[in-house]
Amino acid sequence: GIYKNATKKKTFIVFFETFFRNFWKFITINLVYGIISLPQITSGLASAGFTHVARNTARDKHSFGLSDFFDTIKKNWKQALGAGIINTLVYAIIIFDLWFFYTSVKGVFGVIGLGLMLSVLVIFTMMNYFIWTLMITFKFKLKQIYKNSFNFAVINLKKNFLCFFVLLLVHAVYVGILFLFQRFWHIVLSLEIMIYILTYPGFKFLLVQYCCFPAIKKYIIDPYYEEHPD
């Protein structure tokens, strides 16, 4: 029912169509993701599992949802757990440094230090867009995963920034609504937390795939098949 030369839809339209088409499937996985991520040390396991579901969904490949989620965790649990611990430590160090430069260092050095750590925060966050996909797609060692993730954070900078600011905008909307209805903040906050848990993880992981997987395909997958046509 689709014409061969039909005009292709814009990527953002396809993204939202895919997201809402899989909305109810994502809700269950979002909830499980939140439970597993609650102890921060196991967040890497949940991220690896959800990345597999989001990757297949973004590529219009069938996904069994929760079963694929848990199968991926079983196959990659060592690296996923290790990456989750590393990420927790790195983010803790970055947050501490931001607090230190903001409160304890005055003048030019404080501004430079704060700017530097904010840059590190953004770059490391962008690396996380690739870490889990590289982990579940290729047989890389953990060191190679982080090295390649840094390379992709730089190579795919334009789309990485787009993904970063869209996710930042979502958080800004949540905060803005809370301030807008601050008279009923306790009710609004409860609703926002519930909506956030049930919708945000799926939105984030799917958006990351649409922004970042094309770069992985371009620089790793396509060259491999060109070198190995058989």
Side-chain angles (χ1 to χ4, degrees):
I2 300 176
Y3 291 103
K4 181 179 179 181
N5 298 320
T7 303
K8 292 185 177 180
K9 296 180 181 179
K10 297 290 185 180
T11 302
F12 75 92
I13 295 177
V14 176
F15 164 75
F16 280 107
E17 286 181 347
T18 304
F19 175 72
F20 286 112
R21 188 167 62 245
N22 294 275
F23 184 81
W24 296 109
K25 179 176 73 175
F26 278 162
I27 282 184
T28 305
I29 306 175
N30 288 333
L31 186 59
V32 174
Y33 171 87
I35 294 172
I36 296 177
S37 297
L38 199 55
Q40 185 60 33
I41 196 172
T42 59
S43 61
L45 301 176
S47 294
F50 213 140
T51 295
H52 184 276
V53 177
R55 186 196 64 183
N56 283 9
T57 302
R59 296 170 66 194
D60 277 334
K61 290 191 174 184
H62 180 70
S63 171
F64 289 100
L66 276 179
S67 61
D68 283 348
F69 179 91
F70 285 112
D71 284 344
T72 304
I73 291 177
K74 290 178 183 178
K75 292 177 182 177
N76 301 274
W77 74 269
K78 289 183 179 179
Q79 284 192 332
L81 185 62
I85 294 172
I86 291 172
N87 287 0
T88 300
L89 293 174
V90 172
Y91 275 119
I93 293 171
I94 292 174
I95 292 171
F96 173 80
D97 287 343
L98 286 171
W99 173 82
F100 174 77
F101 283 111
Y102 181 75
T103 60
S104 302
V105 182
K106 306 299 180 182
V108 177
F109 289 107
V111 175
I112 294 175
L114 193 61
L116 179 62
M117 294 314 302
L118 283 172
S119 300
V120 172
L121 175 63
V122 172
I123 292 296
F124 190 71
T125 299
M126 290 178 179
M127 286 174 60
N128 271 265
Y129 298 159
F130 296 93
I131 288 172
W132 314 109
T133 304
L134 293 175
M135 181 183 297
I136 68 169
T137 308
F138 308 103
K139 293 182 179 180
F140 287 146
K141 294 181 179 179
L142 203 54
K143 181 179 179 181
Q144 293 175 310
I145 290 173
Y146 276 91
K147 179 182 178 181
N148 287 325
S149 295
F150 175 78
N151 292 336
F152 277 116
V154 177
I155 293 172
N156 199 49
L157 194 61
K158 182 178 179 181
K159 289 187 177 179
N160 293 342
F161 267 119
L162 174 63
C163 186
F164 181 85
F165 282 113
V166 168
L167 296 177
L168 190 66
L169 179 62
V170 171
H171 286 89
V173 170
Y174 273 98
V175 175
I177 292 175
L178 190 60
F179 274 99
L180 188 62
F181 297 98
Q182 56 183 314
R183 185 176 178 182
F184 311 100
W185 70 268
H186 55 290
I187 299 175
V188 175
L189 181 61
S190 299
L191 289 173
E192 284 192 339
I193 291 174
M194 182 179 67
I195 294 172
Y196 186 92
I197 292 173
L198 295 178
T199 62
Y200 179 75
F203 179 87
K204 180 186 74 172
F205 281 102
L206 189 63
L207 178 65
V208 165
Q209 291 302 312
Y210 271 92
C211 290
C212 302
F213 189 81
I216 295 175
K217 183 176 183 297
K218 177 180 179 180
Y219 291 105
I220 298 183
I221 297 176
D222 289 346
Y224 177 83
Y225 283 113
E226 289 175 4
E227 294 176 6
H228 304 82
D230 296 331

